[in-house]
Amino acid sequence: MKNILEIKNLYKKYDNFELKDVSFNLPKGTIMGFIGENGAGKTTTIKAILNIIQSYSGHIKIFGLDNRKDEKQIKEDIGVVLDDMFFPEILTPNDINKSMAGIYKNWDSKMFQYYLKEFHLLPNKQIKTFSKGMRKKLEIATALAHKPKLLILDEPTSGLDPIARAEIISIFQKFIEDADCSILLSSHITTDLEHIADYITFISNGKILLSKATNELLDKYGIVKCTEAEFKKIDKKDYVKYKKTKYQYEVLTTDKKSFKSKYDIKVIDKITLDDLMVLMIKGEE
Amino acid sequence: MLGFIKKDLAMIKSNFKLLEILIVIYTLMGICGEMDISFILPFMSVMIMISTFSYDNYNKWDAYAISLPDGRKNSVRSKYVATILMVFIVSIITLLLSFIISYINTKTINYEQILISLLGTIFATLLVLTFMYPIIYKFGVEKARIGIFIIVFVMIIIGSFLAQYLDMTFIGKSLSFLENYLVIILIIITIIMVYLSYKISQKIFMKKEF
């Protein structure tokens, strides 16, 4: 089994939104950043993986098993952080510890307590007294303490300050030191992903726009900055999208090197995931 | 499933104080020879369990629960088991208290009467569960609150209609015929009802999307 998660032709229709033929693979031992604008379909895709929504078509395989037929077995080995969905807030971390011990076969109370200490969370305080960041940390501790093989995290770092984010990201990195484990991580904070994600999958308006190794993406893609006259000379085949700004044209190329050799344009900037998202979504073809 | 039950019981532990107060009121009223309000304790335990649905709903627990192993099945099953467990524990406490009150008041214990009246209470309480839970799973706990008023209202209307127009001597006769089997029949009806209710809730929740 090379891929820990395989999604093939996932399709789901709502009244005002459609998930169209979503397909991508998450290889073992890697972190995949799942990016896209608000309402792009990230959470819907994650809900389908976990069968929180059911009336979709397509195939989802996790650990090589069918996510519907072998649901129970699969879920023993998945840790999740979902956006805004968790234990009722009148419970305490201690209550969660006791409950989870009766839910997961592999629940490790000591490990949970270790994370509580690490994150400075008091075990006897009700969740409702926790700040947003503390809640996220508790959710992450809960997701990790049954030693899952796959972490599915929907916006796990949202609402956290840079120090807490760095702390949590180093925990994720430690997590995939075990070559059998993988993480699917959706986030708006793309700078975090540039550091830790091995792959980037970009979804927009219910469609996967790209799913690639982060290195390849950041090395090969580039933003050409040029004048209108220079832009008019560029062959349409050589760029994906462009955006006209006040003083210049910003053009997205998927191959900096060959672009450079073909055209006499000096400024080709390195791309960031934020640039990529803005140009892909807002740019013109 | 045990973990789900623990979670539900942990949620209502703050309500145990309310039950304790009710127990004291019940005991005092019983000793003073006031109205018998023993029905209130088991009934309250179901109401407290229904409040857990509100907390679940508020923090979107159901969606999270589905991401856990066997989450859909265990979510529903644990609600039924936890509620029935609560009703029985509270009923046993009520039963013991009733014995004590009866003894203090009359120096004897009227076992049969106390048992039958408690059994009636358990039956009525589980009837609430039977109707309410599938409605909660289908329409959500907020709308279901209206449902409970409608159910009670309809039951009162049917009851008063029956009392007015039905030949009571006939009921009296069939009751005396049933009397010997009343307890067993009630228990069987309760079990069947709760089981069907559970199956319906399960079916609703299995298809639910969040």
Side-chain angles (χ1 to χ4, degrees), chain A residues 13-62:
Chain A
K13 195 175 164 54
Y14 289 104
D15 289 342
N16 52 357
F17 175 72
E18 221 178 351
L19 211 57
K20 297 162 219 156
D21 271 339
V22 167
S23 303
F24 63 87
N25 297 328
L26 169 60
K28 235 184 197 179
T30 62
I31 298 180
M32 177 180 280
F34 194 30
I35 60 171
E37 75 274 20
N38 289 326
K42 300 187 295 285
T43 301
T44 310
T45 305
I46 285 174
K47 281 181 175 175
I49 295 170
L50 296 168
N51 280 330
I52 294 171
I53 56 170
Q54 297 186 109
S55 55
Y56 56 82
S57 62
H59 298 282
I60 300 173
K61 274 189 166 182
I62 305 171

Side-chain angles (χ1 to χ4, degrees), chain A residues 56-219:
Chain A
Y56 56 82
S57 62
H59 298 282
I60 300 173
K61 274 189 166 182
I62 305 171
F63 313 127
L65 302 167
D66 185 275
N67 80 322
R68 301 199 215 216
K69 262 193 266 160
D70 305 299
E71 188 173 356
K72 190 183 174 196
Q73 192 188 341
I74 287 170
K75 283 181 176 172
E76 286 284 356
D77 289 323
I78 299 183
V80 296
V81 171
L82 298 170
D83 204 12
D84 273 350
M85 304 161 205
F86 195 53
F87 274 89
E89 62 184 18
I90 50 164
L91 296 179
T92 64
N94 267 346
D95 294 329
I96 291 177
N97 194 3
K98 281 179 204 150
S99 302
M100 285 307 206
I103 290 173
Y104 284 113
K105 277 185 199 144
N106 292 333
W107 182 258
D108 186 338
S109 282
K110 282 211 176 102
M111 193 192 249
F112 184 68
Q113 278 155 357
Y114 163 80
Y115 282 122
L116 293 184
K117 226 180 210 171
E118 194 79 0
F119 293 150
H120 308 291
L121 300 171
L122 292 173
N124 284 319
K125 280 261 183 246
Q126 285 187 336
I127 301 172
K128 66 179 169 197
T129 64
F130 289 176
S131 68
K132 199 178 172 202
M134 288 159 88
R135 285 178 198 221
K136 275 280 168 242
K137 284 179 181 173
L138 178 61
E139 290 169 29
I140 290 164
T142 312
L144 287 168
H146 63 285
K147 295 172 239 163
K149 290 200 185 90
L150 169 63
L151 280 180
I152 295 179
L153 312 165
D154 199 2
E155 303 284 349
T157 50
S158 75
L160 295 180
D161 60 70
I163 299 148
R165 255 164 46 213
E167 212 179 346
I168 280 162
I169 280 168
S170 79
I171 285 172
F172 292 161
Q173 278 169 322
K174 222 185 244 167
F175 175 79
I176 60 147
E177 273 171 14
D178 180 345
D180 279 338
C181 297
S182 306
I183 301 178
L184 177 68
L185 195 162
S186 95
S187 181
H188 284 304
I189 306 163
T190 51
T191 44
D192 287 351
L193 295 178
E194 280 164 19
H195 291 129
I196 61 162
D198 303 294
Y199 294 89
I200 294 292
T201 295
F202 180 11
I203 187 169
S204 177
N205 198 18
K207 252 168 93 180
I208 299 289
L209 295 186
L210 61 87
S211 186
K212 275 193 161 48
T214 316
N215 282 343
E216 190 193 328
L217 199 70
L218 298 179
D219 289 348

